[in-house]
Amino acid sequence: MILQALGDSDLAAVLKQIRVLVGASATGSREHYSVDEVLTLLVYVYGLGVATEHESEQQQEESKLIGALALAVTMETELSPLLRTLTGCETPAELTAERAHSAMQRVFDTLRGVASARAHLKQLRSVYHAGDGVHQATYRPFLKQLLEEIYQGERADCPDVEHVSAGITELLKTGFSMFMKVSRPHPSDHALLILFVVGGVTPSELRLIREVVSTLRPGTQVLVLSTRLLKPTDVPELLFSKDSLAPDISI
């Protein structure tokens, strides 16, 4: 529903819908969503990186949602580990409205960074397809797009997959490539692909990697390495860590 709503309107409208969910939870509605769940949902929404045409409206909705989330946090009878990390408070008795509001402001500062995380890429920038009158809006996982660029179709260079030269021989080849056509190494040249995912990888992503590679290039071996195996609840915990450059990854 979120994917379709982004296609039909924009991010501001989706944030308004999420604010309604927060308000329903605060009033004790049967459709109760914890603050942790709403924050996880927001990570997904901003992670799509959908550009908005009405920035002022988005900022207004963000301000309203920050206020609604801060109110919901102050009404919690027990703080989750994530909320304790965000607010710096161990118990609801220590929490003030100001601290809750400041914590939610920091959350949205981080979310805006998430939205622009792929802005420097040339081809793999978008993971969202808005669809049209016939096809529904879809989410296109980044890892799937990356593997398709490596193994699907012609052996063309993807501008976002860079070969880093190492050693004097490779540097000479790079220099000669300025004057003549020199073939660069390509990941699909080898029977083994080592894929390292910084920050963590989920079980569903591991399954996706296996399915995509077995479909596009049967017989290819893929070794997936990462800093940790992620659960959905780990994502906001790591993302909103006070020291996001050196989070606790349980090592």
Side-chain angles (χ1 to χ4, degrees):
M1 291 175 64
I2 286 176
L3 292 174
Q4 199 61 42
L6 283 170
D8 295 339
S9 51
D10 58 11
L11 182 57
V14 173
L15 294 179
K16 185 175 182 179
Q17 293 181 21
I18 295 176
R19 180 161 55 86
V20 172
L21 295 180
V22 177
S25 299
T27 57
S29 170
R30 290 171 58 186
E31 293 186 3
H32 180 78
Y33 299 90
S34 68
V35 175
D36 288 29
E37 290 171 329
V38 174
L39 292 179
T40 304
L41 183 62
L42 285 169
V43 172
Y44 174 76
V45 170
Y46 277 81
L48 293 172
V50 179
T52 182
E53 298 180 358
H54 308 93
E55 190 170 345
S56 60
E57 291 182 17
Q58 177 181 329
Q59 291 174 349
Q60 291 175 6
E61 285 300 330
E62 285 179 344
S63 297
K64 293 177 182 178
L65 186 50
I66 288 171
L69 283 168
L71 177 61
V73 171
T74 58
M75 296 178 67
E76 292 286 322
T77 57
E78 183 178 354
L79 297 181
S80 67
L82 175 61
L83 292 182
R84 291 199 295 268
T85 298
L86 288 174
T87 62
C89 300
E90 291 297 322
T91 64
E94 303 174 39
L95 185 62
T96 63
E98 290 76 17
R99 295 184 75 166
H101 197 273
S102 296
M104 291 303 108
Q105 283 183 320
R106 292 193 298 272
V107 163
F108 273 82
D109 288 341
T110 302
L111 289 172
R112 295 184 195 103
V114 170
S116 59
R118 296 181 303 274
H120 66 288
L121 299 178
K122 300 176 180 64
Q123 190 168 323
L124 303 178
R125 183 179 298 180
S126 175
V127 296
Y128 173 76
H129 186 267
D132 49 38
V134 179
H135 303 93
Q136 290 187 337
T138 55
Y139 165 64
R140 302 180 64 233
F142 180 83
L143 286 175
K144 182 178 182 180
Q145 293 188 60
L146 176 63
L147 291 170
E148 286 175 346
E149 283 299 322
I150 293 175
Y151 291 118
Q152 196 172 44
E154 298 295 328
R155 186 184 176 283
D157 289 332
C158 174
D160 297 321
V161 180
E162 299 181 5
H163 172 250
V164 180
S165 301
I168 187 65
T169 303
E170 295 296 332
L171 289 174
L172 287 173
K173 288 182 179 178
T174 303
F176 283 126
S177 67
M178 298 175 61
F179 306 100
M180 62 181 66
K181 186 175 180 60
V182 176
S183 178
R184 293 183 179 181
H186 194 273
S188 62
D189 293 339
H190 308 279
L192 171 65
L193 175 69
I194 299 176
L195 186 62
F196 195 101
V197 184
V198 178
V201 64
T202 64
S204 60
E205 286 176 324
L206 293 173
R207 184 175 63 250
L208 174 70
I209 293 169
R210 183 184 64 183
E211 292 173 351
V212 172
V213 174
S214 62
T215 299
L216 298 179
R217 190 65 63 88
T220 298
Q221 184 181 4
V222 179
L223 179 61
V224 181
L225 305 173
S226 187
T227 46
R228 68 180 291 169
L229 186 64
L230 289 174
K231 303 188 301 292
T233 53
D234 293 332
V235 176
E237 186 74 36
L238 292 173
L239 185 62
F240 301 130
S241 169
K242 289 183 178 179
D243 188 0
S244 56
L245 292 181
D248 180 8
I249 58 175
S250 304
I251 295 180

